[in-house]
Amino acid sequence: MATQVKLDFVGWTRSAVYSAVPSALLSPEGRLRGHVDVTLRNQLPPGDTVSHTIDFDVVGPGDILGLKAGTVLHMVPPPGTIDFEETKCVYAELSGVDLPWRYTPELAIGRTLRPWLVLVVGTETEVQLNAGGTVTLQNDVLAAHDLSLSARWAHVQDDVAHPGERMVTRLLSPRNLEARTTYVAVVVPAFNAVGVQAWNAATPSVTLPVFHAWSFITAEEGDFPTLAARLKAGLADPDLGRAQIAYTPIEPDALMTGRGALAPIGSADVAVAGDVAADVAELTIPVVDPLRPVVGLPDYGAAWTDDSGATAWGAAFLEDPRARGIGGLGLRAGIEEQDLLADAAAKQAGALDEAAQRIRHLTAGLGSARSLWARRLPIDPIRRLAVFGPALGRMVTDTGTVLRRVAGGDRPLPPALFSSAARRALRPGPARTAGAAKGAADPALILVTANACPIPPERAPKGLVHADDLAKQTGIRNIDDAVCKGVGAGRVPVERLEKLIDGFDRSPYRPGTVALFDQITRNLLERARNGEPIPLLDLLAILDPPTGRTLDERDLLVALRFLLGEKGHSDTDSLLDLGATLCIGPPERPCRPVDLDALATAVADAIDPTVDRPFMVDRVISGIIGLDDQPLTPPELCPDLDIPAWQFLRDHNSNWLLPGAGSLDEDDVVAVETNPAFVDAFLLGVNTQIVSELRFRNIPIRSRCTPLRQFWARTNPATETYDDDIRGVHLWPDSSPLGSITHQTPAAASADLVVVFRTPLFRRYPQTLVYLTPAPLVGGTPDWAAEPVFANRLMPSFQGAITPDIVFFGFDLDPSLGRRHWVVLEEPPHGFQFFSGPVEGMSAARREVFTKPLLHNDGAAFGDAAFADPYRVMIRGQSLIPVGP
């Protein structure tokens, strides 16, 4: 299986400063020594230069006291791991890309450069951590880490698609690990303080500074590739999935075979012998004693049908001991798991008691309300409205409560009139009504009276003359009205201006002056009619001089020429703006009376308890989920228990899950199929018991309910839930036998292909991905040499484990079609890993890197060869499934 990214490995990288180091000779302090030529040039005067060679020391391992916190970014395996694969390398990822070679007191030779830091892995006796930040390494672990080959133990990983952007630097340990062993990993310097190699193969022990340390435990022997490589495909034994049954009530014992929940592909149960069927029929006849009830054999259909013996599926329990035995297995499982099942049903019942209480209160309230409605409610609609008044504040509409819509604001009705206090105050009684006028306390009359809009107040108190009346009597136009009229129209009141022009005394003036006057005033009057601005104040100075004295002819001509020359200032817009601030109309007092008859009718219709479905029914029922189509009856529960019944079979009668599973050899892979008839019989037994148990525990179960309809726990990715295997038993057709497709849900229709593995692989790697993918067809025949299209994969619909080493995966596929598919296992991803030695299937070129280390003494070659690609194992379906039954 190809990795998601294409990787490249680099053996070493470090600063260009080492290019200035001419040789690998060290200073007494263990440092490399370099030099650079420096030339200084003087620009004034030009050409004045001085050159000098500057020697310098490069920081060496002896100068380093430790690593900063966070330098080690990632450890494999993580600290505390208890199941690390012994075939993989331990490694640590560092924050600095060049850190492993940054202080190496050596120069690179081609692709080879030993790091100054190394990762050493040993047992707790080989690696002893001391106080003070040191570690003592014994000879065994030193010999396993030959420093002459340490250039192989560090590399830089790069992403070919993004060079330089995703670089990772690692220190690896080449140590071959043992299974089930505790190890300690330490990061230590490979050179001592004077730059000399810290140990060699003959060193008995050495104590070094420890820069980082952690511990882990390896798993048992084998990794995913080795375990997967041991898998062997084979045809299932004909007896796998069948069990021998002896029927002992007759002599001699009748022998027969019965299929388990998983059975051979294409198999079927042989019909039961006639003498056995007759004996079972006799044993299952109910015993009737007129004096006392007699406990007989269970009736596996009584909870769903009046006469189960009249159905094809129920008749099997009256003649086939295998059906009764499987039903008995389910019945026993229901007894053994009754607390689990009852608790699950009780959780689903949830607030069943509270729901029943609400419904009881609802029905009692409906009865009382209907009686009061018929006997006590007034016939007159408005008197009814008075009765409903205190409730209007609790009646909600889309735009607020009814009370808010009909009272207050622009409504004449005050909200307090509908309060319960008002109802008490208006209630008939001597203390309240003895001195009242007739009808004064009648709620209906009060509502009608209060619903009238108030009469507008008079413009002047009685006995006083209003300014408008005075203007009318004297013939003077009220200035308020004139100003407001002009402001409202947005123009000068033309009729008033026209009267002033017509009333102008022209007699003192010559005809030519009068003609000029008429021409100018007509023009201004026409402009005023069109709403255009005019010099109103200049015109009024002619028509109504502020001095009250008539203009002489000379002054009149001057004023007219002023207007004629358009020198007059157009001021009407400013005057209208001023008038808008002076024109204050009376305050608006909107008043919208309520149609009391319509309101009373609408409220009565909304709360009438005598209709077929009063509103309070919907209001109460809407808060209860799961009621049937008779919501006012005491609620009953039909729980949908999301529990896979196959686990009951595994826990209490595992031999019947896959009879003969224990005979499978280690690393066997076989194919079988589900047995719908077994599933039907087993679930009938479980449900027979659980329905009785739930009723015994006073959990109200709906009649003909099938609480447990799930056997295999089929996953539904679309809904992220589990699909049922069977429909409710009451839906089974009378003419259908056990295992009929009519009993199954669409998700479980017909038998399914099941692949069974006996291997420790899934116990070690529980996240292993298993799926089917079709092989390319050539002329209708699978071409096993062609590359399959993995995008067309079929994932398991259910899976489980019979024992820790026997696991199965079920696929929603006709078992016969499995011959055209690959069975694929993919190694679960667990980050980047590196083999510590050659493994099965590794190419010769990669093997040579391990077998000839001196020829490949660089980190890039080792990282590339040791990189552990995730494995994909593929098994041909035709090797698992026979051609015919």
Side-chain angles (χ1 to χ4, degrees):
M1 176 180 174
T3 56
Q4 294 181 351
V5 294
K6 186 175 181 180
L7 302 179
D8 189 20
F9 294 94
V10 179
W12 60 269
T13 181
R14 65 176 174 179
S15 172
V17 71
Y18 285 91
S19 62
V21 178
S23 70
L25 295 177
L26 300 180
S27 69
E29 295 81 11
R31 305 187 186 107
L32 288 173
R33 180 161 290 172
H35 62 265
V36 292
D37 294 329
V38 179
T39 300
L40 300 179
R41 300 181 183 279
N42 192 357
Q43 294 182 351
L44 293 176
D48 186 10
T49 63
V50 60
S51 298
H52 190 70
T53 298
I54 299 179
D55 296 327
F56 63 89
D57 286 354
V58 181
V59 175
D63 299 308
I64 308 303
L65 300 179
L67 300 179
K68 292 174 60 177
T71 299
V72 178
L73 301 176
H74 181 57
M75 294 157 278
V76 173
T81 298
I82 61 174
D83 58 352
F84 183 61
E85 297 173 328
E86 90 283 1
T87 60
K88 302 298 192 307
C89 287
V90 181
Y91 68 80
E93 294 180 354
L94 307 180
S95 60
V97 174
D98 66 330
L99 182 60
W101 310 274
R102 186 180 299 169
Y103 308 116
T104 298
E106 296 179 347
L107 297 180
I109 303 176
R111 294 165 56 92
T112 301
L113 178 63
R114 296 194 297 173
W116 73 278
L117 280 177
V118 292
L119 178 63
V120 176
V121 176
T123 64
E124 292 176 304
T125 57
E126 296 171 341
V127 179
Q128 300 171 358
L129 296 173
N130 309 319
T134 63
V135 62
T136 299
L137 305 178
Q138 302 299 328
N139 178 260
D140 289 342
V141 71
L142 298 177
H145 296 79
D146 184 357
L147 288 180
S148 65
L149 300 175
S150 63
R152 297 159 54 91
W153 310 344
H155 65 246
V156 177
Q157 174 186 298
D158 200 1
D159 185 346
V160 174
H162 304 274
E165 297 179 11
R166 303 175 181 177
M167 301 179 75
V168 178
T169 297
R170 294 190 184 92
L171 295 177
L172 294 89
S173 168
R175 181 72 181 270
N176 291 317
L177 306 178
E178 299 292 334
R180 308 306 304 167
T181 304
T182 300
Y183 285 97
V184 179
V186 292
V187 177
V188 296
F191 298 89
N192 60 22
V194 294
V196 177
Q197 180 176 299
W199 69 83
N200 55 46
T203 304
S205 68
V206 65
T207 299
L208 300 169
V210 59
F211 296 151
H212 193 78
W214 77 95
S215 62
F216 61 92
I217 302 174
T218 53
E220 59 189 84
E221 186 176 358
D223 57 5
F224 188 92
T226 57
L227 294 176
R230 297 206 305 248
L231 294 176
K232 57 184 183 299
L235 298 177
D237 188 283
D239 291 332
L240 181 65
R242 304 178 193 266
Q244 290 291 329
I245 301 174
Y247 186 75
T248 59
I250 62 175
E251 295 289 346
D253 295 348
L255 299 179
M256 65 191 78
T257 60
R259 296 182 301 151
L262 297 175
I265 293 176
S267 63
D269 290 323
V270 178
V272 68
D275 55 344
V276 174
D279 190 68
V280 173
E282 183 178 353
L283 289 175
T284 55
I285 296 175
V287 179
V288 179
D289 188 328
L291 300 179
R292 62 183 65 83
V294 178
V295 177
L297 296 179
D299 185 347
Y300 289 110
W304 301 277
T305 180
D306 296 334
D307 185 5
S308 61
T311 66
W313 55 266
F317 294 95
L318 305 181
E319 59 185 29
D320 193 337
R322 293 169 297 187
R324 294 203 66 85
I326 297 169
L329 294 176
L331 192 73
R332 179 188 173 188
I335 295 173
E336 297 287 347
E337 303 290 346
Q338 58 184 323
D339 290 335
L340 171 67
L341 295 169
D343 289 346
K347 289 180 180 179
Q348 290 197 15
L352 194 64
D353 291 340
E354 182 180 350
Q357 182 186 49
R358 290 186 181 183
I359 291 175
R360 289 194 298 270
H361 290 174
L362 174 62
T363 54
L366 281 176
S368 300
R370 286 166 175 166
S371 176
L372 290 173
W373 190 276
R375 294 185 299 107
R376 303 295 298 273
L377 194 67
I379 297 176
D380 179 62
I382 299 181
R383 285 186 170 81
R384 285 189 173 190
L385 184 61
V387 175
F388 301 149
L392 298 184
R394 298 190 297 274
M395 296 181 185
V396 181
T397 70
D398 294 339
T399 55
T401 64
V402 174
L403 180 62
R404 185 174 180 181
R405 295 184 61 179
V406 304
D410 60 352
R411 298 292 191 181
L413 291 171
L417 195 57
F418 293 97
S419 65
S420 56
R423 289 290 300 153
R424 289 194 298 271
L426 297 175
R427 188 171 53 193
R432 289 181 294 276
T433 60
K438 184 178 181 180
D442 186 343
L445 293 178
I446 292 175
L447 285 177
V448 172
T449 303
N451 192 43
C453 291
I455 300 173
E458 297 182 3
R459 300 204 60 175
K462 291 185 178 180
L464 296 178
V465 178
H466 193 274
D468 291 351
D469 296 334
L470 182 60
K472 184 184 296 184
Q473 293 174 11
T474 59
I476 301 174
R477 179 70 178 271
N478 184 273
I479 188 63
D480 291 343
D481 292 341
V483 171
C484 291
K485 186 174 182 181
V487 171
R491 63 182 64 185
V492 174
V494 177
E495 65 274 10
R496 179 63 176 165
L497 184 60
E498 188 173 3
K499 289 180 181 180
L500 288 174
I501 293 173
D502 291 342
F504 183 73
D505 186 9
R506 295 168 174 79
S507 59
Y509 308 111
R510 292 181 297 178
T513 303
V514 172
L516 179 62
F517 171 83
D518 290 339
Q519 176 187 354
I520 293 175
T521 55
R522 279 197 304 270
N523 177 268
L524 294 177
L525 184 61
E526 184 64 26
R527 289 169 57 188
R529 288 194 182 101
N530 295 332
E532 300 177 15
I534 62 173
L536 182 60
L537 293 179
D538 294 332
L539 180 58
L540 290 178
I542 298 173
L543 300 178
D544 187 11
T547 60
R549 181 177 61 82
T550 302
L551 296 177
D552 58 24
E553 189 161 355
R554 180 178 175 279
D555 293 336
L556 178 60
L557 288 172
V558 171
L560 290 174
R561 291 191 183 97
F562 185 81
L563 293 176
L564 183 61
E566 295 295 336
K567 296 180 180 179
H569 178 66
S570 299
D571 48 24
T572 49
D573 288 344
S574 299
L575 292 174
L576 289 174
D577 291 340
L578 178 61
T581 63
L582 301 176
C583 181
I584 302 175
E588 293 186 2
R589 301 183 62 185
C591 179
R592 295 188 302 136
V594 179
D595 187 340
L596 296 177
D597 288 332
L599 174 63
T601 301
V603 173
D605 290 344
I607 64 175
D608 187 353
T610 64
V611 298
D612 291 339
R613 192 176 180 91
F615 84 96
M616 63 280 293
V617 173
D618 291 328
R619 184 164 185 177
V620 174
I621 297 303
S622 64
I624 306 174
I625 300 174
L627 295 179
D628 55 21
D629 56 355
Q630 296 179 340
L632 296 185
T633 59
E636 294 180 333
L637 174 71
C638 185
D640 183 7
L641 302 183
D642 195 16
I643 301 174
W646 76 268
Q647 296 180 1
F648 299 160
L649 192 62
R650 176 200 60 193
D651 296 341
H652 302 292
N653 301 96
S654 61
N655 289 337
W656 279 101
L657 188 56
L658 177 62
S663 65
L664 290 173
D665 292 335
E666 186 78 12
D667 303 316
D668 268 357
V669 183
V670 298
V672 293
E673 69 178 16
T674 56
N675 183 0
F678 186 100
V679 171
D680 282 1
F682 186 84
L683 289 180
L684 273 171
V686 176
N687 282 289
T688 296
Q689 171 60 28
I690 193 58
V691 166
S692 299
E693 182 65 27
L694 294 179
R695 286 175 176 159
F696 175 77
R697 298 192 183 203
N698 293 324
I699 297 177
I701 297 299
R702 190 181 304 165
S703 177
R704 300 175 183 256
C705 172
T706 308
L708 187 62
R709 302 186 295 276
Q710 189 183 118
F711 188 85
W712 290 116
R714 302 171 184 274
T715 57
N716 188 329
T719 61
E720 297 184 351
T721 58
Y722 295 102
D723 288 328
D724 293 336
D725 287 270
I726 64 169
R727 305 163 67 205
V729 178
H730 67 287
L731 299 175
W732 293 5
D734 291 347
S735 60
S736 59
L738 287 176
S740 170
I741 195 173
T742 60
H743 300 182
Q744 300 170 345
T745 62
S750 74
D752 295 327
L753 173 65
V754 179
V755 182
V756 182
F757 298 82
R758 182 166 192 173
T759 172
L761 177 72
F762 297 99
R763 176 167 46 84
R764 290 276 304 277
Y765 303 96
Q767 301 302 318
T768 299
L769 190 62
V770 179
Y771 59 88
L772 302 180
T773 188
L777 298 179
V778 177
T781 302
D783 182 3
W784 301 109
E787 179 77 9
V789 180
F790 291 98
N792 296 331
R793 64 180 61 180
L794 176 63
M795 303 304 297
S797 56
F798 61 89
Q799 65 186 68
I802 303 174
T803 68
D805 284 351
I806 302 178
V807 299
F808 60 87
F809 297 86
F811 300 90
D812 186 13
L813 182 71
D814 186 328
S816 63
L817 297 179
R819 303 188 75 254
R820 300 182 176 186
H821 287 72
W822 288 99
V823 179
V824 185
L825 292 79
E826 285 191 6
E827 182 180 6
H830 27 217
F832 296 113
Q833 290 192 317
F834 299 85
F835 289 112
S836 57
V839 295
E840 187 72 24
M842 185 175 285
S843 67
R846 294 178 67 180
R847 282 179 172 274
E848 186 180 85
V849 174
F850 290 96
T851 58
K852 299 179 179 180
L854 293 178
L855 294 180
H856 306 280
N857 190 15
D858 69 273
F862 184 81
D864 188 60
F867 186 79
D869 290 292
Y871 267 63
R872 174 187 283 151
V873 178
M874 302 174 62
I875 304 171
R876 297 179 182 181
Q878 69 178 16
S879 64
L880 302 177
I881 303 172
V883 176

